């Protein structure tokens, strides 16, 4: 339910105050607030920055846009100067950036600074995705995240976070402050929208059959090509499924475990949904490398379970 229910006084609960209600330590509150602050500079880059290519490539060998590089620099500098970060991994950096060697009580952060960056030049919504772990190891299972969040740069700018105690949405007001707009967001058991990523002519039979099942039950196709707005729609409506399956020629699909799948799976599971590779929960993957990819089915529990059945030929 939107937080500012009709007839109720609209409390301007800001992010820091809400984080203090979450029984987490001050360093984590500081880190999440720093990330929220950094997003204001990313917004400015998205709205006015250069749309051209950077002339470089990322961890995956993909051509980087100037916006990817600029957003990455904004996030990295903010994390380095936060004083509470040990190691940093970014979809746009080749290797882990070590801020402080093995300092206890610190956090490690994996982020995608601007997911969907190629959509900016057609003015579609894009976002920043962040995953936070305790300590210095960034190749932990996603279930060990202590926080995950995304910032969605759409018609409104919103931020969604969880520290494992519910999932909460904040919307940026005219003063560029994030104020609480939805608290303890919950997914329904099954939904009525689906987001099929990737080329359909490369889908396996199980995935095609699953889509026929969804269409037969009256689901509507909702796909923008941006992972953050597509997931946000499923989460805010509380009913739906996003999928980016294994494709012929790409058995691990496209999306990245550390920078995209783990944070979104943490959020969706904390909202009562599910996230699977088709054979195991996303959050149980033990990453072997920074650039690991995996197929994903994420959203309502019953829809994800049905996807797993079809994908495994049941
Ligand atoms: P990124 O811009 O960080 O590379 O991510 C793009 C991803 C994700 O946003 C989206 O779900 C997916 O690419 C769309 O891929 P297709 O165009 O193959 O559907
Ligand atoms: Mn991405
Ligand atoms: Mn990206």
């Amino acid at each position: 339910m939107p937080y500012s229910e009709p007839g109720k006084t609209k409390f301007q609960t800001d992010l820091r105050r809400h984080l203090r209600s979450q029984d987490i330590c001050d360093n984590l509150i500081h880190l999440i607030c720093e990330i929220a602050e950094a997003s204001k500079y990313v917004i400015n880059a998205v709205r006015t920055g250069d749309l051209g290519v950077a002339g470089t490539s990322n961890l995956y060998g993909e051509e980087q846009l100037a916006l990817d590089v600029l957003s990455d620099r904004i996030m990295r500098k903010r994390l380095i100067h936060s004083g509470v970060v040990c190691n940093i991994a970014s979809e746009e950096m080749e290797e882990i950036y070590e801020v402080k060697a093995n300092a206890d009580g610190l956090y490690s952060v994996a982020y995608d600074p601007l997911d969907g960056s190629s959509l900016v030049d057609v003015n579609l919504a894009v976002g920043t995705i962040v995953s936070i772990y305790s300590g210095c190891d960034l190749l932990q299972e996603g279930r060990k995240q202590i926080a995950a969040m995304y910032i969605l740069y759409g018609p409104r700018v919103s931020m969604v976070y969880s520290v494992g105690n519910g999932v909460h949405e904040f919307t940026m007001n005219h003063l560029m402050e994030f104020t609480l707009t939805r608290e303890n967001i919950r997914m329904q058991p099954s939904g009525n929208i689906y987001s099929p990523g990737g080329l359909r002519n490369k889908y396996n039979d199980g995935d095609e059959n699953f889509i026929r099942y969804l269409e037969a039950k009256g689901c509507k196709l909702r796909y923008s090509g941006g992972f953050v707005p597509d997931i946000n729609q499923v989460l805010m409506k509380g009913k739906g499924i996003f999928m980016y399956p294994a494709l012929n020629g790409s058995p691990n699909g496209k999306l990245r475990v550390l920078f995209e799948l783990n944070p979104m799976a943490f959020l969706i599971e904390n909202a009562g949904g599910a996230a699977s590779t088709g054979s195991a929960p996303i959050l149980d993957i033990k990453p072997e490398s920074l650039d690991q990819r995996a197929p994903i089915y994420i959203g309502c529990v019953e829809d994800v379970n049905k996807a797993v059945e079809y994908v495994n030929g049941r």
Side-chain angles (χ1 to χ4, degrees), residues 15-33:
L15 177 60
R16 191 179 295 276
R17 185 182 311 175
H18 195 268
L19 287 166
R20 286 200 182 116
S21 73
Q22 294 288 309
D23 187 26
I24 54 177
C25 73
D26 287 350
N27 279 350
L28 184 55
I29 293 173
H30 170 63
L31 178 55
I32 293 173
C33 289

Side-chain angles (χ1 to χ4, degrees), residues 58 62 68 90-92 111-118 127 129 256 259-260:
N58 68 7
E62 296 157 340
D68 287 319
S90 163
E91 187 184 285
E92 305 302 339
Y111 63 86
D112 179 352
L114 196 60
D115 179 85
S117 51
S118 59
I129 311 171
R256 299 84 172 189
F259 309 112
E260 295 162 331

Side-chain angles (χ1 to χ4, degrees), residues 47-123:
R47 287 179 176 160
T48 60
D50 169 15
L51 297 177
V53 295
T56 50
S57 57
N58 68 7
L59 175 63
Y60 300 86
E62 296 157 340
E63 181 176 55
Q64 288 176 308
L65 299 178
L67 279 180
D68 287 319
V69 174
L70 177 54
S71 308
D72 183 55
R73 193 163 58 237
I74 291 166
M75 294 299 294
R76 184 172 62 249
K77 285 195 178 313
R78 186 63 77 147
L79 293 173
I80 290 167
H81 296 298
S82 70
V84 295
V85 170
C86 177
N87 285 330
I88 299 172
S90 163
E91 187 184 285
E92 305 302 339
M93 285 194 306
E94 291 278 339
E95 293 165 3
I96 287 177
Y97 185 102
E98 185 179 285
V99 182
K100 288 185 180 176
N102 290 328
D104 290 339
L106 296 185
Y107 303 101
S108 286
V109 182
Y111 63 86
D112 179 352
L114 196 60
D115 179 85
S117 51
S118 59
L119 299 172
V120 173
D121 70 351
V122 292
N123 207 15

